[in-house]
Amino acid sequence: MFKKETEYALRGLVYIQMQNQTGKRPGILEIASEIDTPPSFTAKILQRLVRMGFIESVKGKNGGYYFDPEKKELPLKNIVVAIEGEKIFTGCGFGLKHCDEKNPCPLHEAYAPIRDSIDNLLATETIQNLAKKDNPALSLNRFNGV
Amino acid sequence: MFKKETEYALRGLVYIQMQNQTGKRPGILEIASEIDTPPSFTAKILQRLVRMGFIESVKGKNGGYYFDPEKKELPLKNIVVAIEGEKIFTGCGFGLKHCDEKNPCPLHEAYAPIRDSIDNLLATETIQNLAKKDNPALSLNRFNGV
DNA sequence: TTACTAGAGGACTAAAAGGTCTATTAATCA
DNA sequence: TGATTAATAGACCTTTTAGTCCTCTAGTAA
């Protein structure tokens, strides 16, 4: 569905928000360990998210990543688009360049509603929203020797 | 959504079936040109499909690719699974290894129905079915200097 | 039975995705 | 101020995906 980079970004952001809610600012090692991703790669991804303005960071002791509480909730779609671009929401399931409403490819009618519901899901769900839910699967990682 | 290999395979197969319906067995150069894909790469992909038993081929003059008319209709899912494996139908939208009904990740409930409808679409639609539809988008390729 | 045509096979190259490592910079605190 | 801590930056490496090219083999037809 998504690239690894996008997956790790989403998982990392949800974890950061979860920690922020309890007044903490997690660092990379903690984040990578909890969401079960390669630390250096995760660091690189979070750095990009900082540069793009999705999250903030502080260096030094007690440093770490956090969301600016002033900002609005962050829809998953924003992250996905920032990392992967729009193709996933506009592209044709068949990979045809000239497929659209006027020149639908054989899969068009069948795939369009699916693509739209993905679009809708990602535009509606936010990092903050996901962070509010209990998520056993997220924290499970640490117990499975993955 | 899919890898290039899968896309090209699907497009190629639909084109082959369309030609078979009019009593023809298209060759690689024709196929690649019509579906707008790199000829050598397309050849390699079709060869694999032949080896896997999805289509037949004959060499020499008037050779080309064709479907065994004895065989049943071919669901898109079979091709996708043969090329990409099952992950797309079973994987978690969030990329978590331990996400399932019992340990749902934050996205699980929302994503599951989408994944299921993709599964259902690909299991239901067949190459033969798609080949029956008019598809301007498929043949359009040749007119756009793509 | 030779000449031609067209698929088969595999070695090779290119680019993108995924991931590591090390040196640097900035914050904190003793 | 200096030691320590943790993010930053970017060069580098590996794997996978995408794609090319050349030789070989098998049919077809004259």
Side-chain angles (χ1 to χ4, degrees), chain A residues 2-69:
Chain A
F2 301 124
K3 308 205 235 192
K4 294 287 178 196
E5 183 175 348
T6 307
E7 280 181 18
Y8 297 172
L10 294 175
R11 280 151 68 181
L13 291 174
V14 169
Y15 182 78
I16 291 168
Q17 172 63 15
M18 286 170 66
Q19 294 307 303
N20 286 180
Q21 282 166 8
T22 69
K24 287 177 268 178
R25 283 190 307 222
I28 296 183
L29 293 181
E30 175 186 340
I31 296 169
S33 155
E34 289 294 318
I35 69 173
D36 188 36
T37 55
S40 303
F41 191 33
T42 308
K44 174 181 287 188
I45 293 169
L46 292 183
Q47 283 161 28
R48 289 202 270 248
L49 294 174
V50 169
R51 258 179 285 171
M52 292 191 282
F54 291 115
I55 44 173
E56 323 296 317
S57 67
V58 280
K59 289 181 178 178
K61 190 137 207 193
N62 296 317
Y65 297 90
Y66 64 100
F67 280 90
D68 179 348

Side-chain angles (χ1 to χ4, degrees), chain B residues 27-28 44 47 51 57 60 65:
Chain B
I28 296 183
K44 175 180 286 186
Q47 283 162 29
R51 259 179 283 169
S57 68
Y65 297 91

Side-chain angles (χ1 to χ4, degrees), chain B residues 82-95:
Chain B
I83 298 177
E84 316 211 349
E86 302 269 358
K87 328 127 213 158
I88 173 172
F89 307 108
T90 59
C92 156
F94 225 55

Side-chain angles (χ1 to χ4, degrees), chain B residues 26-81:
Chain B
I28 296 183
L29 293 181
E30 176 187 340
I31 296 170
S33 156
E34 290 293 318
I35 69 173
D36 188 35
T37 55
S40 305
F41 191 34
T42 309
K44 175 180 286 186
I45 293 169
L46 292 183
Q47 283 162 29
R48 290 202 269 248
L49 293 174
V50 169
R51 259 179 283 169
M52 292 191 280
F54 291 116
I55 43 172
E56 324 294 317
S57 68
V58 281
K59 289 183 177 179
K61 193 140 206 193
N62 295 317
Y65 297 91
Y66 64 101
F67 281 90
D68 179 348
E70 302 284 292
K71 287 190 177 166
K72 293 203 199 108
E73 297 207 357
L74 179 59
L76 307 190
K77 185 171 177 179
N78 295 25
I79 303 297
V80 174
V81 169

